[in-house]
Amino acid sequence: MTAQNLLVELFVEELPPKALKKLGDAFASVLADQLKAQGLAPADTVVTAFASPRRLAAHVTGVLARAEDKAVSQKLMPVSVGLDAMGQPTPALLKRLAALGADASAVAGLKRAPDGKAEALFYESVAPGAALAAGLQKALDEALAKLPIPKVMSYQLETDCELPGWTSVNFVRPAHGLVALHGSAVVPVKALGLTSGNTTHGHRFEATVSPVVLKDADSYALTLAGDGAVIASFAERKAEIARQLAAAAAQVGGGCKPIEDDALLDEVTALVERPNVLICEFEPQFLGVPQECLILTMKANQKYFPLLNAQGKLTNQFLVVSNISPTDASAVIGGNERVVRPRLADAKFFFDQDRKKTLASRVEGLGKVVYHNKLGTQGERTERVRAIARAIGQQLGGDVLAKSADTAAQLAKTDLLTDMVGEFPELQGIMGGYYARHDGLTEDIAFAIEDHYKPRFAGDELPRNTAGVVVALADKLETLVGMFGIGNLPTGDKDPFALRRHALGVIRMLLEKDVGVDLKPLLETAYDAFGDKLPAVRAEPVEALASFIYDRLAGSLREQGSSAQEVDAVLALKPQRLGDVPKRLAAVRTFAALPEAPALAAANKRIGNILKKSEGDVAAAVNESVLVEQAEKDLFAAMQATVPAANAKFEAGDYTASLQALAALRAPVDAFFDGVMVNADDPALKANRLGLLRQLHDAMNRVADLSRLVA
């Protein structure tokens, strides 16, 4: 059958910009998938999604007017049920055939074939292929039903419905037009009270023709661009905006660049149908306000692109992506400059007002802000963070670091009470740093206050100095321990307190900053800071939190390229110093490549199983005079020669050399298991051999549990 390209467009009122790209992609992909499932489109069909503020569309190649007929084989019932002893059809078989539109004459043509242990009857027929009109209707209904609509609207239909003006329909926005073209022919389908045609609408103000008549499916994008003044493709519109932004920045000169923000670029792409980038400016006096405030208000409230100079500093010029292209753009430029001025004035006012009070004077106010009904106020939380920060600081840098961390922790949350953070919560921490400098505090403390939320997300930078790392650790640990202590744990995809993110932040700091503290004592210190807010017995919640952190660590290490076996081997020992984990992984990777590794790992697993089955705890004690067999004497001697050196390398932190030294034990270990019966009848002999294996097991598993390397 002749195949032609298909175009389907739904014309609607302005769609939600943050959801537009997802809506466009979903509409096109589901529509195409449904056509393929019905045999109307080939498996290798090319699907092009279009999405603009007022339309969702899809172009699908190689669509048939009618799908090919398909041979269908339907199982009816076992032969013993369908045919009697004389081979005649039973009433059950005739009833089933009637349901399929056949009669007794079809019995002779039924196919017999094995079905499990019995033989069954199969009815073979030819199913006519779906016609495009019916198939597209089904595909369109499915595409609309599966749209990821963030919030549904309800509106009334005026035509082509049971009760005009009263019949309601639910959709993301009111729909006003439907196009369905197979080549140049209109495919008769309906949706949302609309009947398909070949006309659409272009730009609200700049279309040269209205309505826009589409000649065929393939001319859609070009006709809309020419007659409708609309760039229908989301990707093309985004690329055009990026090109114009770069050109406008080059026109400004001085190495200026628009701020990079892909989410903002996507949102603006969803707001305009034909972009026109204009250069605007504001009064230089506003540059005295922290640039983060100005950038945020321009991006969040106005969807503008601030311009940064070659040094990354904000300039007093910004770029606007307009949806109209007048000959004289001065009115558009002036309007946008007037709109942004009050926003910047508000930011300046907040900044000036906030600096009239010191951060220290705001500490008392934290006691009036509820943090959690079971864990008290932000003031109480601050005291806990201070206690944790002092303990970590004392361990890492003595009194000096402990004092700096304490000061930063005391002031870290005070900017939550400022007007600026009240207006722009995204600036918490950042504004604290600015206000700390204004109060005359040291740069170290200002950085620590500013950075204590870091890392905020995957890939975010870590705190810049040690005091910042200490306070960030204390802050995240307080949240983790508090929530685990009251049993407020993440479930499934629900994690309202971002505990997974906090755990990954703790892991990154302990690993990448190689913080010299052990995990369990760290968690216990944090737990003790809560006093009577948490249950007196801390063992269970601390153990649960430690497991939670190790689970997050395992996932993170696998994502970074370590194999599941390597990660399992290292984390099976629950290493307390997380900063050592990368070195342990590297050592295991090197060891696994040695020719002796498989045999030693297998032996290690065998030793572990033997020790588990033994009664009671096995002491790592060996009486040399009780060694009888030559193989056990040789193993003991080899261990005496090898293990001290391996232990010395381990204590020095050279885990790779430690494991490599143990490779020399392969031959004596193999000989031991070939020639020695561990579970001897003589209790003294058995105990001595178990003690020898315990010593060997302990020596081999200091860096990692080598038995985990065996599949």
Side-chain angles (χ1 to χ4, degrees):
M1 295 186 183
T2 305
Q4 296 191 75
N5 297 338
L6 176 74
L7 184 282
V8 180
E9 183 209 66
L10 188 65
F11 182 77
V12 296
E13 294 181 15
E14 277 74 5
L15 292 159
K18 290 185 179 179
L20 179 64
K21 187 175 186 300
K22 189 181 291 186
L23 289 170
D25 291 343
F27 180 75
S29 64
V30 174
L31 189 79
D33 288 345
Q34 288 296 312
L35 292 173
K36 285 189 279 188
Q38 297 176 76
L40 289 164
D44 60 351
T45 187
V46 178
V47 185
T48 305
F50 298 95
S52 83
R54 298 199 296 159
R55 74 200 73 240
L56 300 174
H59 182 272
V60 187
T61 63
V63 176
L64 298 171
R66 177 178 289 277
E68 294 181 1
D69 295 343
K70 287 174 62 178
V72 178
S73 180
Q74 292 175 279
K75 178 187 171 184
L76 300 177
M77 57 189 66
V79 172
S80 59
V81 177
L83 300 176
D84 61 20
M86 304 297 293
Q88 296 302 308
T90 62
L93 178 60
L94 293 174
K95 185 176 180 181
R96 182 68 189 277
L97 286 171
L100 296 172
D103 55 24
S105 63
V107 174
L110 295 180
K111 179 183 177 182
R112 296 187 179 201
D115 182 55
K117 294 181 179 179
E119 191 176 34
L121 295 170
F122 291 83
Y123 176 66
E124 296 187 331
S125 60
V126 176
L132 178 57
L136 179 58
Q137 185 67 64
K138 181 180 178 182
L140 182 58
D141 292 343
E142 191 75 9
L144 296 179
K146 289 187 174 179
L147 277 181
I149 298 173
K151 191 174 183 180
V152 174
M153 283 185 66
S154 179
Y155 61 95
Q156 285 67 50
L157 299 178
E158 297 296 335
T159 59
D160 200 12
C161 61
E162 185 179 351
L163 296 171
W166 292 90
T167 299
S168 292
V169 64
N170 295 320
F171 196 54
V172 59
R173 292 290 186 270
H176 297 292
L178 178 63
V179 174
L181 290 174
H182 186 229
S184 58
V186 174
V187 183
V189 291
K190 293 186 176 184
L192 305 173
L194 303 168
T195 301
S196 59
N198 66 344
T199 62
T200 185
H201 298 275
H203 196 286
R204 278 192 185 276
F205 311 111
E206 300 188 349
T208 58
V209 176
S210 184
V212 176
V213 179
L214 302 172
K215 183 179 68 174
D216 55 40
D218 292 343
S219 63
Y220 176 72
L222 283 175
T223 303
L224 261 183
D227 295 346
V230 171
I231 301 174
S233 166
F234 188 95
E236 289 180 19
R237 213 161 55 252
K238 182 176 178 179
E240 175 61 16
I241 293 172
R243 186 194 67 76
Q244 289 190 35
L245 289 172
Q251 183 182 333
V252 171
C256 283
K257 289 184 178 180
I259 194 161
E260 293 183 11
D261 189 325
D262 202 56
L264 175 62
L265 184 55
D266 276 349
E267 190 173 356
V268 170
T269 302
L271 287 168
V272 298
E273 291 185 307
R274 188 171 70 169
N276 177 33
V277 173
L278 303 171
I279 303 170
C280 304
E281 63 179 38
F282 57 83
E283 289 79 357
Q285 70 188 51
F286 291 120
L287 292 176
V289 179
Q291 70 177 41
E292 292 90 346
C293 308
L294 305 182
I295 289 170
L296 185 59
T297 191
M298 284 191 279
K299 282 169 41 179
N301 295 318
Q302 307 304 136
K303 315 306 174 189
Y304 296 157
F305 287 84
L307 279 175
L308 306 179
N309 64 21
Q311 289 73 44
K313 298 297 182 183
L314 182 68
T315 70
N316 69 315
Q317 292 177 295
F318 59 95
L319 304 179
V320 173
V321 183
S322 173
N323 194 35
I324 56 175
S325 305
T327 305
D328 180 7
S330 59
V332 180
I333 293 171
N336 280 284
E337 290 177 346
R338 283 195 301 275
V339 166
V340 79
R341 195 171 293 118
R343 295 285 187 179
L344 302 183
D346 285 347
K348 185 175 186 303
F349 175 78
F350 293 147
F351 186 55
D352 291 341
Q353 288 297 110
D354 287 342
R355 287 183 296 170
K356 291 178 181 178
K357 290 180 66 176
T358 65
L359 291 180
S361 70
R362 299 179 187 273
V363 171
E364 187 178 347
L366 292 173
K368 300 174 184 177
V369 180
V370 175
Y371 167 57
H372 190 281
N373 63 342
K374 292 183 179 179
L375 299 176
T377 65
Q378 281 286 4
E380 291 173 289
R381 180 169 187 254
T382 293
E383 290 305 309
R384 294 193 292 265
V385 174
R386 288 180 68 186
I388 300 166
R390 282 196 302 269
I392 300 173
Q394 190 70 42
Q395 187 173 347
L396 295 181
D399 293 342
V400 174
L401 181 57
K403 185 177 180 182
S404 295
D406 182 41
T407 302
Q410 182 185 31
L411 303 176
K413 302 297 180 186
T414 52
D415 67 354
L416 296 176
L417 304 178
T418 63
D419 292 338
M420 185 71 82
V421 173
E423 180 72 14
F424 301 112
E426 301 92 333
L427 296 176
Q428 55 190 283
I430 294 170
M431 295 314 302
Y434 278 106
Y435 297 145
R437 293 181 186 91
H438 179 264
D439 292 348
L441 296 170
T442 66
E443 197 71 5
D444 270 1
I445 290 175
F447 278 146
I449 293 172
E450 184 177 339
D451 292 350
H452 84 278
Y453 288 105
K454 294 179 181 178
R456 288 179 168 88
F457 49 85
D460 190 20
E461 61 185 17
L462 297 180
R464 285 164 282 189
N465 59 27
T466 308
V469 170
V470 170
V471 180
L473 271 175
D475 186 62
K476 288 172 172 55
L477 287 168
E478 193 278 341
T479 300
L480 287 164
V481 169
M483 292 303 153
F484 268 76
I486 61 175
N488 201 346
L489 312 182
T491 55
D493 60 349
K494 294 181 179 179
D495 188 6
F497 288 91
L499 301 188
R500 295 184 181 97
R501 179 166 56 80
H502 283 312
L504 287 171
V506 169
I507 287 165
R508 279 193 61 198
M509 284 185 280
L510 293 178
L511 257 70
E512 296 175 33
K513 294 293 185 178
D514 197 11
V515 178
V517 292
D518 291 346
L519 180 62
K520 193 169 182 181
L522 191 60
L523 300 182
E524 291 172 343
T525 296
Y527 195 96
D528 292 343
F530 281 82
D532 59 5
K533 291 286 185 185
L534 298 181
V537 180
R538 68 188 182 189
E540 187 175 335
V542 165
E543 194 58 43
L545 177 53
S547 296
F548 180 77
I549 290 173
Y550 283 121
D551 286 345
R552 304 281 83 70
L553 175 57
S556 175
L557 293 172
R558 287 194 294 268
E559 286 176 6
Q560 294 171 38
S562 295
S563 73
Q565 281 184 320
E566 292 165 354
V567 173
D568 194 25
V570 170
L571 297 190
L573 300 185
K574 297 284 191 291
Q576 292 299 302
R577 191 67 58 91
L578 296 194
D580 284 352
V581 168
K583 291 191 293 183
R584 289 176 184 255
L585 277 172
V588 168
R589 200 171 295 121
T590 302
F591 173 78
L594 297 175
E596 298 89 351
L600 281 174
N604 187 62
K605 187 171 185 177
R606 185 175 178 183
I607 294 168
N609 290 334
I610 291 170
L611 293 173
K612 282 179 189 174
K613 292 176 182 177
S614 62
E615 297 177 4
D617 292 332
V618 177
V622 179
N623 185 343
E624 191 173 358
S625 64
V626 182
L627 298 173
V628 177
E629 302 290 345
Q630 188 59 44
E632 61 184 329
K633 292 179 180 179
D634 291 344
L635 176 57
F636 181 73
M639 288 170 59
Q640 293 294 98
T642 304
V643 171
N647 287 342
K649 295 292 185 183
F650 177 87
E651 298 298 341
D654 190 348
Y655 302 137
T656 300
S658 179
L659 284 181
Q660 286 176 325
L662 295 173
L665 294 175
R666 177 193 170 175
V669 168
D670 287 348
F672 177 87
F673 282 115
D674 287 342
V676 178
M677 174 67 71
V678 176
N679 292 319
D681 293 333
D682 184 344
L685 204 57
K686 176 182 176 181
N688 203 53
R689 287 171 180 172
L690 287 172
L692 180 64
L693 291 183
R694 170 60 73 188
Q695 278 192 5
L696 178 60
H697 193 262
D698 292 348
M700 292 176 71
N701 293 288
R702 297 195 72 185
V703 175
D705 182 352
L706 299 184
S707 68
R708 304 296 179 105
L709 299 178
V710 181

